[in-house]
Amino acid sequence: MTTINETELNQAIQAKTESLLAEFEALSQYIYANPELGLAEFKSSQAHVDLLEKHGFSIEKPYLGFETAFRATYASSKPGPTIALLSEYDALPGIGHGCGHNLLGATDTGAGIVLRYFVDTYGGTVVVLGTPAEETNGVKVDMAAAGTFDDIDIALCTHPSDNYYESGRSMAMEAIEFRFHGKTAHAASNPFDGVNALDGVLQLFTGVSLMRQQMHPTARVHGIISDGGKAANIIPDYAAAQFYIRAQDKPYLAYLHDRIIVIAEAAAQASGTQMEWFHYEKTYLNLQTNPILSNKYNQNMAAFGIEMQPANEDFGSLDMGDVSQVVPAINPYYGITGGKAVGGHTVEFREWTLTPEGVDGMRKTINALVKTSLDVITQPDLLAEIKASFAAQVKG
């Protein structure tokens, strides 16, 4: 194996990133100016595809039947691992790119493009996946289930934040809607002729609240009454509630699911109503960060001047969790706010994506993603460690 001069390789990566950075910044700005909700990211996904095609990638789009998903591939003529970079580009209702997905997509697509210029020398294949609708019905779930990652060795996704955080964990999540059916009646004249569907919903909430005392403190169950009736003088024959159920792993999520279904059935029996339930959004599995891959990425970030902060105790849920259950994966965060504490899903965070600090976060993250990918490509022992660690995670 040819000895690699780490300093020279890092310098070459930085130079290539810098030469293409204006194109990546323009992609981010275009998507910022054209915010599109999940599964409707027609302009955003096409902008990614156009840039990837310009740099020699072959494109499959639509992908898995999703109009705004794509799979872009650049295969070198030399053998080696297949590296996947995952790009998001969906916006939020009302505030556009308050989660920074314009910058996220440009960063991860940018990393794939920069890496493409090194694999001809070092071997391997680069895959950039366009993954719509992370905020709602994340298509990464479908990709994981459909075998998209069967021929991929590692998967990398990054996310803008107010600081540089190591890849950590996210919560497994189910989104369940409960619908209760009763019988209308005049609420004053003859309420005794009615069956109050709202009573079923209220007893469901009471039962869930009582259950919380025995829940593990890391778990979360939170819901709303999405339909409570139409008028105060009518016994409602229909009422509905939507809940998110979150847990740190799939087994405890299944336990909470079973408990809450029993509570809903008991609420229906107690109120004399009929109840049905279904998933109104996709179920997300928990993110399991691959520790070997994460450590390598953190080391490379340090080489480019960034000391990663410990992972946040994140009680949110990501469709990247499903990816991490089928392939070694990481989902680190990078700072774009100059160290200022700014919450995501806000107008203020959206504006930071257009700043020099945002561009610098993109620059450093691309460098670390590319170097980490090349480490995996050029160090068979490293890839073997990553895969052994993943096998232990899955078995556990």
Side-chain angles (χ1 to χ4, degrees):
M1 184 186 302
T2 303
T3 302
I4 296 173
N5 185 306
E6 296 287 328
T7 300
E8 290 181 359
L9 181 56
N10 285 350
Q11 290 173 346
I13 293 169
Q14 288 176 301
K16 193 63 185 178
T17 297
E18 206 62 38
S19 71
L20 296 170
L21 195 63
E23 294 183 45
F24 308 151
E25 186 177 1
L27 176 62
S28 174
Q29 291 173 345
Y30 175 81
I31 295 170
Y32 170 94
N34 294 276
E36 298 167 301
L37 300 182
L39 301 180
E41 314 100 317
F42 298 106
K43 292 180 180 179
S44 302
S45 62
Q46 191 60 46
H48 280 267
V49 165
D50 290 344
L51 187 58
L52 287 158
E53 282 186 321
K54 174 184 174 182
H55 289 280
F57 283 76
S58 60
I59 307 295
E60 185 178 351
K61 181 178 185 286
Y63 184 64
L64 298 181
F66 294 97
E67 290 291 328
T68 59
F70 64 83
R71 179 174 177 137
T73 305
Y74 184 87
S76 74
S77 59
K78 297 180 179 180
T82 299
I83 312 297
L85 286 303
L86 279 62
S87 293
E88 301 169 11
Y89 31 76
D90 59 320
L92 293 163
I95 61 171
H97 282 287
C99 200
H101 290 182
N102 57 312
L103 196 61
L104 186 164
T107 298
D108 290 8
T109 291
I113 290 171
V114 173
L115 180 60
R116 163 258 185 274
Y117 287 99
F118 288 88
V119 295
D120 285 334
T121 299
Y122 295 103
T125 297
V126 186
V127 173
V128 178
L129 293 169
T131 62
E134 189 277 331
E135 297 290 354
T136 51
N137 281 296
V139 171
K140 295 187 195 69
V141 176
D142 301 271
M143 291 180 174
T148 291
F149 300 94
D150 289 354
D151 62 349
I152 286 170
D153 291 284
I154 65 167
L156 307 167
C157 186
T158 62
H159 201 294
S161 183
D162 61 354
N163 209 333
Y164 291 83
Y165 298 105
E166 298 175 359
S167 182
R169 62 189 181 191
S170 68
M171 302 189 80
M173 182 272 287
E174 273 192 85
I176 302 180
E177 180 167 316
F178 298 93
R179 295 179 175 178
F180 289 81
H181 301 274
K183 179 184 176 183
T184 57
H186 195 292
S189 298
N190 56 325
F192 38 81
D193 289 333
V195 177
N196 196 324
L198 183 58
D199 284 348
V201 168
L202 295 177
Q203 291 188 71
L204 169 61
F205 271 85
T206 299
V208 169
S209 295
L210 292 172
M211 181 191 73
R212 285 195 180 98
Q213 183 181 13
Q214 282 73 47
M215 274 174 34
H216 193 280
T218 59
R220 298 288 186 270
V221 178
H222 42 101
I224 61 167
I225 298 174
S226 52
D227 192 327
K230 304 305 179 188
N233 64 346
I234 302 173
I235 300 293
D237 65 343
Y238 174 78
Q242 293 181 338
F243 280 86
Y244 282 125
I245 308 168
R246 304 182 197 260
Q248 287 192 343
D249 55 46
K250 186 177 179 180
Y252 197 67
L253 182 70
Y255 165 77
L256 291 177
H257 165 96
D258 291 346
R259 285 288 310 278
I260 291 171
I261 296 302
V262 169
I263 290 170
E265 290 171 343
Q269 185 174 4
S271 60
T273 58
Q274 300 296 313
M275 184 275 297
E276 58 184 339
W277 65 270
F278 66 97
H279 292 108
Y280 66 94
E281 291 177 4
K282 285 192 177 80
T283 296
Y284 287 1
L285 298 181
N286 54 295
L287 175 69
Q288 53 177 21
T289 287
N290 185 275
I292 309 299
L293 183 57
S294 182
N295 288 341
K296 178 56 67 174
Y297 177 85
N298 298 340
Q299 291 167 12
N300 286 322
M301 263 296 188
F304 292 113
I306 295 295
E307 292 296 329
M308 300 293 285
Q309 301 301 305
N312 276 330
E313 287 295 324
D314 192 343
F315 288 95
S317 304
L318 305 167
D319 60 352
M320 190 66 183
D322 288 69
V323 176
S324 75
Q325 302 286 335
V326 298
V327 66
I330 58 172
N331 196 145
Y333 292 77
Y334 56 97
I336 69 168
T337 64
K340 181 180 179 182
V342 180
H345 288 210
T346 62
V347 170
E348 186 179 6
F349 191 80
R350 179 191 71 192
E351 298 309 305
W352 277 101
T353 68
L354 300 181
T355 63
E357 291 85 353
V359 175
D360 191 54
M362 175 167 62
R363 172 193 289 111
K364 289 183 170 66
T365 302
I366 289 173
N367 289 336
L369 286 170
V370 173
K371 180 56 166 58
T372 302
S373 301
L374 290 173
D375 288 340
V376 171
I377 289 170
T378 60
Q379 299 173 30
D381 289 347
L382 173 62
L383 181 56
E385 281 188 72
I386 290 169
K387 290 193 172 185
S389 174
F390 175 72
Q393 286 179 310
V394 172
K395 184 178 180 180

